[in-house]
Amino acid sequence: MRDAVVRAEAVGIALRELGPDFSDDLFSLEYQNNADYPLTPATTQKLRDADAIRGLWDKYRIFGALDGARLVAATVIGQKADRGETQFTSVLSAYRGRGIGKAVKAASILALAEDGLRLFSTGGAGVNEASMGANRALGYTIEERWRSYERDIGSATPNSYGCSWV
């Protein structure tokens, strides 16, 4: 995890915990990225309004990746019982594929680990290979899979229902 942070910092990205004064920046980041979130029956990321973004600081810690003064990635993490639980990580499209999302998530994990947490969880859509790859690189293992089913209308007959994997 430290390597992920060091690599991002080596190319000029500053990683740090953000205060509520970054709520407008986080709202802008989420607004720009909202259409890029995978939309599956099990995973959605609805666009929060500015008030809801400000409210995140009431329950969570927010970590950001800054390129100069510009917020280019963020992760929102909280503590649930005995573990840190990532709510979401968001990276501007121009910064994807460069390890920035992995680095900001790693920075959040390292900070909570300094506070004594040793277990961490996160989610993700299986169709988002970049996110899944970053999670694997940070040491996450898949403990559960959510399946979604859809009625196959084309071949359904009365008293007969087909299922197909989505």
Side-chain angles (χ1 to χ4, degrees):
M1 280 189 236
R2 292 189 199 289
D3 288 344
V5 170
V6 167
R7 281 193 296 277
E9 290 175 339
V11 295
I13 301 296
L15 299 161
R16 66 183 182 93
E17 188 164 2
L18 304 176
D21 53 314
F22 274 89
S23 65
D24 289 343
D25 297 294
L26 183 57
F27 176 78
S28 177
L29 177 72
E30 281 296 278
Y31 183 82
Q32 292 174 71
N33 286 337
N34 188 258
D36 296 337
Y37 279 108
L39 179 60
T40 72
T43 58
T44 60
Q45 180 76 359
K46 293 182 180 171
L47 181 61
R48 293 170 176 88
D49 63 24
D51 288 335
I53 292 288
R54 277 189 289 281
L56 291 173
W57 275 268
D58 295 339
K59 293 174 44 177
Y60 304 109
R61 293 174 68 178
I62 292 90
F63 292 80
L66 299 153
D67 187 356
R70 184 178 188 199
L71 182 65
V72 299
T75 196
V76 175
I77 190 168
Q79 186 170 341
K80 185 175 182 181
D82 64 340
R83 68 181 56 215
E85 187 172 310
T86 302
Q87 300 302 304
F88 66 89
T89 301
S90 185
V91 182
L92 284 178
S93 62
Y95 289 82
R96 294 179 194 151
R98 298 171 28 189
I100 306 302
K102 179 170 66 172
V104 74
K105 196 168 201 176
S108 73
I109 293 166
L110 290 168
L112 272 69
E114 286 179 16
D115 292 344
L117 288 178
R118 295 294 177 258
L119 295 172
F120 295 87
S121 63
T122 191
V127 297
N128 188 343
E129 187 51 43
S131 174
M132 298 300 284
N135 290 339
R136 283 190 299 272
L138 292 174
Y140 286 97
T141 58
I142 296 175
E143 294 177 340
E144 62 185 34
R145 293 183 190 270
W146 295 359
R147 302 285 187 203
S148 299
Y149 299 92
E150 180 178 272
R151 183 174 173 198
D152 185 353
I153 304 285
S155 63
T157 58
N159 303 319
S160 170
Y161 297 94
C163 292
S164 60
W165 294 102
V166 176

